[in-house]
Amino acid sequence: MKPSRYFLSCSVVKVEMGEQGSDAGRPEEHDEQKGRFQQPDNDLQRALDLIVVVTALTQSTRAFAAKWQSIRAKLERLRCDLSNALLLLASSSASASASAEGEIPDVAAPEILSTLTDCAALARSCTELSYSGKLLMQSDLDGLSGRLDVHLRHIDGIYKAGTLGGHALALVVSRPPTGASKEDMRFFVRDLFTRVQIGSRAMKSDALRTLEETLREDDKYQRIVVETGDVAQLVTFLESDDAELSERSAGILSAVAADEENKAELVAAGVVFPAIRMIETGGAQGREAAATLLNRLTANSENAWSVSSQGGVTVALAICRKEEGALLREAAGILRNLAGVEEIAQFMMEEGVASVMFRLLKSSDEEAQACAADCLRIMSAGGISARNSIIKEGGIPLLVSVLGSQSLKCREFALRTIGNLTSSPNSARLVLHAGFLSQIPAILRRGDFSVQEPAARAVRDIAKLSEDARKSAGEAGIMPEMLKLLEAKSLTVKSLAAEAISELLTVPKNRSRFVQEDGSTVRILRALDTDEDSRVRQFLLLALVWISNSPAGRRKISSSGSLQSVERLAKSDVPEARRIVRRVSGNKFRKILDGIWKS
């Protein structure tokens, strides 16, 4: 089989390595000081070039996918480290040309080149499936991975020793302009992390501050920080005694967590426990950043258990019981996110989350109010025990009072929570007695689409309770608003509104009020004519059956000029339509007789 292009490229690099010894016979072209710096730079550049080639080759492997994924990650780390080393060596070389002080550290570039060449050969074998045995290849890949670890530890030791620092760190890389290439952005981030890793205390602080500001101004850096930087170093700083470094690291990590793609990697890097500890013991800025970080992480339900199992629920509840401001809002967001996992929600209920959310509902902070209402909505949808706890602790009157909030989100979530509670007749009665129905007309008149469904659902559930409940709904002016919802775009909203109307019209007083309102009967007939959904049509026909019970109602139907749809359904043997047509036709016949007798 013909060798692949990538493997040929690797072979060329290997040949070049072998030919470099021929320089020994050449005349001396450089002074001793310059020669000391040129060779490491050459080998490092070859290693960097080869890493790119080998990484591309590993993308084509057809076996041992997990092992190659781990190897690729180490190759990327090695590439970043060597790039930084090359930058620092170049700067140190320029400085050393003026002063003979200091020796260039041995970064083991020839050994790295040898490892990379072997990596290319193994990748080729796994691409062509030409290896002699599976166990032997597994052993070779483990050995390769171990060699890469040795190189990474070696370079890390050089960084920590500070032998690649000094003058090079005084060269500040400017932030790339807007629209710069990703490679320029990566180089900028790598330089900042180099300063964080080996710089002085002041350099670390400046680098973290710059990185935090960059993330705040340009979210394109969020993914680049994870791909190029050292997230583990930032996690370590979270537990640092240096308040400034830990707070800036928390700010960076919380910004990085805004990218959904980064969340799993942050959790894998062990960010959760240090963040929880910072919320408990950190300064104001750090606590807020750490809470924002956990709020963003828990927005992905896969991370919920990681936060809950390490004490996140207890810490968030403690904040919501006594704190205010941004920290309170972020903690409420954490609890809201965790409530979506049934087992965690049960634990939260046992820890008193309902009363905590009630506290937030009473606050003047609209964002905290909305978050609390959303948390109660999620829990009330999950199970009967959560609903019972909300009711038992007096949540219904509070939720009804929140319906007057200026926050649309708060009104919507409170309505949805109430809608979840009214699925039980007993709790629906409590909602009725809390004055819920009197709030509905004003809420619906605002014209907010998001509240239409929960409002119609709750009205429908209450209307099914009893005749007294239906009378209360009629007296509260509910029917005109339900009529308007027959024109909603949502089929669910139309169906709920039609069902609520059919229930409310079972009460004679409601029918009389409905018939007296101009256009009400006509709107139902027109809705019947335009809506083809069988469920909506069924409830509209039931409403017309109730209307046709009275002479006034029959006259409204007869004089509407919109009876064609009912007659068409009657011809299709729809029972309710046939009953309506019979009643209206009988009414017309009596009119004819009355006319004859009067003449």
Side-chain angles (χ1 to χ4, degrees), residues 71-139:
I71 289 170
R72 275 194 296 275
K74 293 177 182 180
L75 287 171
E76 175 60 20
R77 285 180 54 199
L78 185 61
R79 186 184 67 80
C80 293
D81 285 352
L82 292 182
S83 294
N84 290 331
L86 189 62
L87 171 69
L88 296 173
L89 282 173
S91 179
S92 297
S93 176
S95 175
S97 62
S99 172
E101 295 180 3
E103 293 293 327
I104 295 301
D106 180 12
V107 294
E111 290 83 355
I112 292 173
L113 283 166
S114 176
T115 298
L116 293 173
T117 304
D118 291 345
C119 181
L122 292 173
R124 180 172 178 246
S125 295
C126 288
T127 299
E128 300 175 352
L129 302 180
S130 59
Y131 49 86
S132 57
K134 186 174 181 180
L135 292 177
L136 179 60
M137 178 53 72
Q138 284 181 329
S139 177

Side-chain angles (χ1 to χ4, degrees), residues 181-484:
S181 68
K182 279 196 173 183
E183 190 54 43
D184 287 344
M185 296 165 73
R186 290 190 185 100
F187 183 82
F188 173 65
V189 170
R190 280 197 298 270
D191 177 72
L192 291 177
F193 272 97
T194 299
R195 297 169 191 280
V196 169
Q197 190 175 41
I198 64 175
S200 64
R201 161 65 178 72
M203 285 182 178
K204 292 180 192 292
S205 176
D206 287 344
L208 291 174
R209 175 182 51 77
T210 300
L211 185 56
E212 188 177 13
E213 291 173 354
T214 300
L215 286 164
R216 190 182 304 122
E217 296 168 7
D218 190 346
D219 58 13
K220 294 186 183 70
Y221 281 91
Q222 292 169 356
R223 185 61 189 160
I224 290 175
V225 166
V226 173
E227 293 175 338
T228 307
D230 188 351
V231 172
Q233 181 71 62
L234 297 175
V235 173
T236 301
F237 277 156
L238 286 182
E239 299 183 286
S240 170
D241 293 333
D242 190 316
E244 183 182 3
L245 296 185
S246 63
E247 288 181 356
R248 292 204 180 281
S249 296
I252 292 167
L253 290 167
S254 67
V256 168
D259 187 330
E260 187 68 29
E261 195 174 356
N262 295 335
K263 293 178 181 179
E265 294 175 65
L266 292 177
V267 172
V271 76
V272 172
F273 184 71
I276 292 174
R277 288 284 297 155
M278 176 170 280
I279 293 175
E280 289 183 297
T281 62
Q285 183 178 340
R287 295 180 74 199
E288 182 180 331
T292 302
L293 169 60
L294 293 183
N295 188 5
R296 289 173 173 171
L297 290 179
T298 53
N300 184 332
S301 60
E302 294 179 0
N303 301 324
W305 279 110
S306 179
V307 173
S308 175
S309 63
Q310 299 184 69
V313 171
T314 303
V315 171
L317 283 171
I319 291 172
C320 290
R321 285 190 173 105
K322 60 183 180 181
E323 300 287 352
E324 300 293 340
L327 180 60
L328 167 67
R329 292 191 289 271
E330 298 296 343
I334 295 170
L335 294 173
R336 183 260 324 277
N337 295 339
L338 296 179
V341 180
E342 186 174 351
E343 295 84 351
I344 298 176
Q346 182 60 42
F347 172 70
M348 289 166 58
M349 296 302 298
E350 293 169 359
E351 293 295 303
V353 70
S355 61
V356 171
M357 293 300 107
F358 295 161
R359 173 183 180 264
L360 301 190
L361 286 178
K362 296 174 185 176
S363 74
S364 58
D365 188 323
E366 290 185 355
E367 188 176 336
Q369 272 189 330
C371 204
D374 196 18
C375 183
L376 293 171
R377 174 192 66 83
I378 294 169
M379 289 191 294
S380 63
I384 191 170
S385 60
R387 292 193 288 271
N388 288 341
S389 180
I390 293 171
I391 294 168
K392 183 178 179 180
E393 296 189 39
I396 287 178
L398 188 55
L399 286 165
V400 171
S401 69
V402 171
L403 295 178
S405 170
Q406 294 300 311
S407 167
L408 170 60
K409 284 293 183 184
C410 192
R411 294 196 302 273
E412 177 189 348
F413 295 141
L415 266 174
R416 292 188 183 278
T417 305
I418 290 171
N420 292 335
L421 298 177
T422 56
S423 60
S424 161
N426 290 334
S427 54
R429 289 187 181 89
L430 295 175
V431 171
L432 173 64
H433 295 148
F436 169 75
L437 291 175
S438 62
Q439 301 261 25
I440 293 300
I443 291 174
L444 290 176
R445 285 181 196 130
R446 290 175 179 260
D448 301 319
F449 295 114
S450 60
V451 302
Q452 290 178 345
E453 181 183 337
R457 188 180 303 279
V459 169
R460 186 274 313 269
D461 291 339
I462 291 174
K464 288 184 173 184
L465 285 176
S466 64
E467 185 168 339
D468 286 340
R470 292 188 281 274
K471 284 180 181 178
S472 298
E475 292 167 357
I478 296 290
M479 285 192 293
E481 303 308 318
M482 293 296 105
L483 265 177
K484 293 176 186 176

Side-chain angles (χ1 to χ4, degrees), residues 566-599:
V566 179
E567 292 173 338
R568 186 172 62 252
L569 292 171
K571 290 177 182 179
S572 301
D573 289 333
V574 177
E576 293 83 1
R578 292 179 64 185
R579 190 183 311 172
I580 296 167
V581 169
R582 279 201 305 268
R583 289 179 178 177
V584 173
S585 298
N587 191 52
K588 288 180 180 179
F589 183 67
R590 279 193 295 273
K591 280 185 179 180
I592 293 172
L593 290 178
D594 288 343
I596 293 172
W597 284 111
K598 286 179 181 179
S599 62

Side-chain angles (χ1 to χ4, degrees), residues 531-588:
D531 205 307
E532 297 181 358
D533 181 75
S534 59
R535 186 169 173 81
V536 175
R537 186 177 63 197
Q538 176 189 355
F539 292 129
L540 292 176
L541 286 172
L542 285 174
L544 289 170
V545 168
W546 286 113
I547 293 171
S548 65
N549 270 353
S550 68
R554 290 192 290 272
R555 284 194 296 271
K556 286 283 188 178
I557 295 173
S558 177
S559 62
S560 67
S562 302
L563 197 57
Q564 298 89 342
S565 55
V566 179
E567 292 173 338
R568 186 172 62 252
L569 292 171
K571 290 177 182 179
S572 301
D573 289 333
V574 177
E576 293 83 1
R578 292 179 64 185
R579 190 183 311 172
I580 296 167
V581 169
R582 279 201 305 268
R583 289 179 178 177
V584 173
S585 298
N587 191 52
K588 288 180 180 179

